[in-house]
Amino acid sequence: MKRCLFWILVGGLLLYSFEVYAQKPCLNCHAEIKKQLQMGYVHSPLKKGECTVCHSSHTSDSPHLLKKTVKETCLSCHIKVKVKYAHLPVADGKCTQCHNPHASVNKWLLRKPPKQLCFQCHKKDNLLIGKRVHKPVSQNCLSCHKAHGSNYQFLLTTNIKEICFACHSQNKVGQIHKVQMKESTSCLSCHNVHAASGKFLLRQYVHQPYAKGQCKACHQIKNGEVCELRAKDSTLCLKCHPKVFAEKGIYNHLEVGLNQNPCLDCHSPHRADVRPMLKARPYRICLSCHQETKRRLFSASKKYRYKHPNVKNKKCLVCHYVHASNDLFFLKQGGINTCLSCHGKHIKFSHPMGEKAIDPRNHQPITCITCHHPMGAKDKYNVIFDHNKELCIQCHQIGT
Amino acid sequence: MRKGCLLIICAICLMATGLWAGVKTELDGVIYGNELVFNQPQFAFWDSGRQRLYIVDSLNNRLVSFNSQYKYISEFTAGGKLNLPIAMVRDDKGRIVVSCAGDHKVYVIYLKEKKILPLDFSAYHQRVIPYRLAFYDGYLYVVDKGKKCIFIFEPKAGGYSLKKWIKEKAAGIDDIKVRNGHLYVLDSLLKRVFIYSPMGNFERVIKLKGVVSPVSLDVDERGTLYVLDKVKGKIILFNPNGEMVGKFGKLGWKEGRFYYPQYLLLSGTGKIFVVDTGNGRVQVFDLH
């Protein structure tokens, strides 16, 4: 019995001494981490020498011998907050994309100062499209946006009007604007909050009736005041743009939209930075609804490894119509001709296609998209199946 | 080790038979058209009285009928008046009602009298973009995709007259069905099913979880919702509380698989008709 107690005591002492010792010697080998201790901001577990809070000293399934994945490791101490809109790296659990897990010269262990850090992903060329830059943009993005997540769109700290009126006096704004601004009116409808080439950060392109001061073209005017819209649905727009309504097809974008007037899902009624009066660049508008396509485009999966150059360059409108089509994918000129408009030479050497080449799987004419998926496929040339064998045996049976 | 292997084999067998998700189906027939194959078929209608299946073959501007063995009977073009038909029903008087995307009109076709009259929306005073149709107990239901509302037409001597319209906060109505004394409305953008009484009084809403792009729905006698997801190429089953209870189908081109299907219909006799638009065919499954 005594012998047993003795060995338990010895074992316990050994384990304790190992635990104490284990925290110290990490830095003996990891000299680059040791150097980081001199930086202004050090992660508290490292400061206390508690490397084993995050890392396993022996083996792990996660990189850097982390005990769990990066997301799980961070969230074991830092509380997760549920928000409507999460910043993409946060949602993907890529905390280390912005933060250094050990130490940094920047506050909150940021890899770079906040301003530089944001522009790492949000490219200046895309964001700052004019010479006149909004002051907070050149100072600190966090004056309007939240870094991790928010219940407001674009990760804003609060609703857009409150943000604007925090700096710009509401009375002054009211005096400058000739018409009474409504509750629902958004400053972003006319102003680009980041940068613009025009005065007052006004967006470049102007809707003709608005430019001419013909508010009554779209709005009702009562006692000289601009009131409600003349129609709440697409008839408002189609009255002046009848050609759009004339674009008929079994698939029609005019029939679907979160707005009561689906035109306003993509187009801005007053001012815009992108022609023709688009709310954003076309691909951004497309992907805001086509979530499955977005998932393919941004997926790192090998299944969607190869993508068409127009997809990579985000040029949706090179191949697709936007208003109406009889083609399932709104392809311009139908399936084959859409591709041939660029790949004209392929007709001379490619697999037979069209009415004379029937796919035995579904009795439909073979087209380019029978074998290729431009939005992302697993094999070279955007081929859906492995082009060495799997692709061919979809239709051509192998003799035994 | 042996137990592990057995479990894996059992799992594979269950998945192959479709039991894995609680649904067992068997492909009963595949319809490609007649001499002329379908071009973008959009809709199917099962006439249980006549035991006939009607397919709306949109780009060929025709309605094609098949018998219960899925053998071709005839096609109907209304003398070339159908301009991109997208939905049809056959009412209790034997009239065919067709909605056309080409001229945004709904036509009532009187077969015996050999006349075609457009449905009168004039009481609504606004332009209508008609889409899917349903027929129940003498009443005709028409989806307006433009205003995102549902029109209810009541029978009148020799035709229909507009009784009322339902306008809720729908973003994109894609399908309607009247089953078990309720009107089911599928909103593909909000991914919700709104349930009304047949006369349009709101009852409740079901949120659909786990769907990407729902385009069509149907409901069986137990109240189970069958939702067709065109992007996933699957039919997903929800119980009346909106909980997912099963799914079947796979994206693909071979028979039994779906490529951007557009419409789903239950016959009421254990058959599921899936209009597999991307593959230009209609597939019929036996539901066990």
Side-chain angles (χ1 to χ4, degrees):
Chain A
M1 184 65 184
K2 275 183 183 174
R3 198 175 275 181
C4 246
L5 274 172
F6 170 76
W7 285 113
I8 288 167
L9 198 68
V10 168
L13 273 168
L14 274 170
L15 270 173
Y16 173 74
S17 57
F18 177 75
E19 271 297 309
V20 173
Y21 182 73
Q23 290 159 3
K24 299 283 176 192
C26 301
L27 299 181
N28 290 346
C29 296
H30 297 278
E32 75 283 0
I33 305 290
K34 197 174 181 180
K35 273 185 203 169
Q36 290 182 16
L37 285 170
Q38 310 304 318
M39 289 178 170
Y41 301 92
V42 182
H43 201 198
S44 63
L46 176 66
K47 215 179 206 175
K48 293 175 194 166
E50 293 169 348
C51 305
T52 52
V53 168
C54 303
H55 300 278
S56 166
S57 47
H58 294 119
T59 56
S60 170
D61 287 332
S62 302
H64 311 293
L65 292 180
L66 282 172
K67 283 181 174 175
K68 299 170 190 169
T69 62
V70 173
K71 188 180 182 179
E72 287 166 348
T73 306
C74 298
L75 290 179
S76 58
C77 296
H78 302 276
I79 301 160
K80 187 180 178 179
V81 182
K82 210 174 177 187
V83 286
K84 205 171 171 186
Y85 304 97
H87 197 198
L88 197 64
V90 178
D92 290 347
K94 293 176 182 171
C95 309
T96 52
Q97 202 166 313
C98 300
H99 300 278
N100 189 324
H102 295 123
S104 170
V105 289
N106 302 305
K107 218 175 166 184
W108 304 309
L109 302 180
L110 289 175
R111 288 191 181 273
K112 287 180 181 174
K115 206 174 76 184
Q116 289 176 29
L117 192 71
C118 300
F119 289 128
Q120 206 170 272
C121 296
H122 304 274
K123 299 289 177 203
K124 272 187 180 178
D125 294 346
N126 292 337
L127 210 62
L128 310 178
I129 52 170
K131 283 178 186 171
R132 294 168 203 264
V133 179
H134 196 200
K135 217 174 176 184
V137 177
S138 52
Q139 288 165 353
N140 191 358
C141 306
L142 298 181
S143 50
C144 299
H145 300 278
K146 281 193 171 180
H148 293 121
S150 166
N151 285 326
Y152 298 94
Q153 225 185 347
F154 312 118
L155 305 184
L156 291 174
T157 50
T158 178
N159 77 55
I160 186 71
K161 269 193 184 169
E162 276 185 43
I163 293 176
C164 298
F165 292 142
C167 299
H168 305 277
S169 153
Q170 193 168 355
N171 287 338
K172 262 191 179 178
V173 171
Q175 284 164 12
I176 294 166
H177 290 83
K178 286 171 191 169
V179 292
Q180 184 68 36
M181 281 173 68
K182 287 196 164 181
E183 250 333 282
S184 56
T185 312
S186 168
C187 308
L188 303 186
S189 173
C190 296
H191 301 276
N192 186 323
V193 283
H194 294 123
S197 45
K199 263 184 180 180
F200 311 115
L201 299 178
L202 282 169
R203 294 183 189 272
Q204 197 178 347
Y205 302 108
V206 193
H207 193 205
Q208 279 307 304
Y210 174 73
K212 292 173 186 167
Q214 296 167 345
C215 306
K216 65 177 180 182
C218 303
H219 295 271
Q220 293 175 26
I221 310 286
K222 286 176 189 167
N223 303 326
E225 271 191 24
V226 179
C227 298
E228 292 94 40
L229 290 167
R230 287 186 175 275
K232 284 181 179 172
D233 54 30
S234 58
T235 46
L236 180 78
C237 307
L238 297 175
K239 202 175 73 185
C240 297
H241 303 276
K243 277 185 184 174
V244 177
F245 193 69
E247 291 177 37
K248 281 169 186 160
I250 43 178
Y251 308 105
N252 201 326
H253 264 141
L254 283 180
E255 298 164 356
V256 197
L258 290 167
N259 264 306
Q260 203 172 349
N261 179 354
C263 306
L264 300 180
D265 279 343
C266 306
H267 298 280
S268 178
H270 297 123
R271 283 176 170 269
D273 284 323
V274 186
R275 291 173 94 170
M277 296 302 295
L278 289 175
K279 281 185 170 176
R281 285 186 177 82
Y283 81 94
R284 276 188 179 273
I285 296 175
C286 301
L287 295 185
S288 66
C289 288
H290 295 270
Q291 294 292 320
E292 182 58 20
T293 307
K294 187 177 180 181
R295 194 181 65 81
R296 266 178 183 264
L297 292 187
F298 296 110
S299 170
S301 164
K302 283 183 180 175
K303 266 165 72 182
Y304 315 123
R305 191 172 160 198
Y306 294 94
K307 294 172 183 99
H308 191 273
N310 280 337
V311 174
K312 279 190 212 164
N313 297 329
K314 297 161 182 171
K315 290 180 176 171
C316 312
L317 305 188
V318 173
C319 303
H320 300 279
Y321 275 126
V322 283
H323 290 131
S325 174
N326 280 333
D327 189 279
L328 196 55
F329 305 107
F330 282 69
L331 287 175
K332 285 182 178 174
Q333 306 141 27
I336 299 171
N337 292 333
T338 307
C339 304
L340 289 181
S341 61
C342 293
H343 302 275
K345 285 179 185 171
H346 284 64
I347 199 79
K348 291 175 185 167
F349 58 83
S350 77
H351 188 281
M353 287 194 291
E355 298 295 330
K356 287 178 184 172
I358 300 297
D359 186 336
R361 298 171 301 173
N362 58 10
H363 302 206
Q364 294 290 304
I366 290 175
T367 66
C368 307
I369 58 169
T370 303
C371 302
H372 303 274
H373 199 315
M375 296 299 174
K378 71 174 180 182
D379 206 2
K380 272 196 287 190
Y381 315 115
N382 309 315
V383 172
I384 300 165
F385 299 99
D386 173 12
H387 76 280
N388 289 315
K389 182 183 170 186
E390 203 188 348
L391 176 73
C392 307
I393 61 168
Q394 291 292 314
C395 302
H396 303 278
Q397 288 188 352
I398 302 169
T400 48
Chain B
M1 182 68 183
R2 273 186 188 174
K3 275 185 183 176
C5 284
L6 268 171
L7 275 170
I8 292 167
I9 291 164
C10 285
I12 292 167
C13 291
L14 283 169
M15 282 166 86
T17 53
L19 271 173
W20 184 260
V23 189
K24 194 183 173 192
T25 56
E26 197 179 308
L27 187 63
D28 188 42
V30 184
I31 311 166
Y32 287 98
N34 48 340
E35 298 93 56
L36 180 64
V37 292
F38 294 140
N39 193 353
Q40 306 264 345
Q42 292 288 322
F43 195 89
F45 177 75
W46 174 250
D47 186 338
S48 53
R50 292 177 179 82
Q51 290 286 300
R52 277 191 190 184
L53 176 70
Y54 297 89
I55 309 293
V56 177
D57 186 9
S58 293
L59 287 199
N60 287 328
N61 293 322
R62 61 176 186 161
L63 312 175
V64 194
S65 62
F66 297 86
N67 67 14
S68 56
Q69 304 301 310
Y70 321 125
K71 296 274 183 280
Y72 168 77
I73 299 174
S74 63
E75 69 172 36
F76 180 71
T77 58
K81 283 198 174 174
L82 300 181
N83 188 356
L84 297 178
I86 41 170
M88 70 150 281
V89 290
R90 189 156 190 177
D91 68 12
D92 50 358
K93 304 275 188 309
R95 294 170 295 209
I96 291 176
V97 185
V98 189
S99 80
C100 293
D103 47 13
H104 295 318
K105 280 187 176 161
V106 179
Y107 293 106
V108 183
I109 301 166
Y110 300 79
L111 293 171
K112 282 177 193 168
E113 294 89 345
K114 291 189 176 175
K115 65 175 183 180
I116 301 173
L117 293 174
L119 209 56
D120 182 17
F121 288 93
S122 58
Y124 188 59
H125 301 298
Q126 291 187 63
R127 192 157 38 189
V128 174
I129 303 178
Y131 190 52
R132 297 245 162 105
L133 307 168
F135 183 79
Y136 176 76
D137 202 18
Y139 289 87
L140 177 70
Y141 299 79
V142 183
V143 171
D144 175 15
K145 278 208 116 179
K147 308 284 186 308
K148 294 153 189 173
C149 63
I150 297 155
F151 294 98
I152 303 174
F153 284 85
E154 62 183 350
K156 70 163 190 185
Y160 291 98
S161 69
L162 184 56
K163 182 179 169 65
K164 65 182 284 191
W165 53 86
I166 313 165
K167 200 167 168 63
E168 292 288 334
K169 283 188 176 178
I173 301 173
D174 251 303
D175 201 6
I176 51 166
K177 291 277 171 20
V178 192
R179 300 280 188 264
N180 313 326
H182 302 282
L183 169 65
Y184 293 85
V185 179
L186 173 70
D187 189 319
S188 54
L189 280 186
L190 299 179
K191 291 169 190 168
R192 279 164 203 202
V193 177
F194 296 93
I195 303 172
Y196 299 86
S197 73
M199 279 304 105
N201 299 316
F202 178 74
E203 289 174 358
R204 64 192 180 100
V205 63
I206 295 175
K207 270 189 188 179
L208 302 176
K209 284 183 182 169
V211 294
V212 176
S213 186
V215 284
S216 184
L217 93 162
D218 210 333
V219 188
D220 68 11
E221 65 279 3
R222 290 182 203 162
T224 305
L225 291 165
Y226 291 67
V227 176
L228 179 66
D229 190 321
K230 76 168 177 184
V231 170
K232 280 188 170 180
K234 281 191 192 308
I235 293 164
I236 304 165
L237 279 66
F238 296 88
N239 68 15
N241 299 324
E243 290 150 359
M244 194 193 288
V245 289
K247 55 185 169 184
F248 71 93
K250 208 174 175 186
L251 195 78
W253 298 266
K254 289 178 182 170
E255 288 183 357
R257 297 190 174 195
F258 309 124
Y259 189 63
Y260 288 86
Q262 289 287 331
Y263 191 70
L264 167 85
L265 177 74
L266 300 184
S267 70
T269 53
K271 303 244 186 260
I272 305 175
F273 300 99
V274 181
V275 181
D276 188 8
T277 308
N279 283 318
R281 64 190 173 202
V282 175
Q283 305 200 71
V284 191
F285 293 87
D286 258 332
L287 186 67
H288 299 290

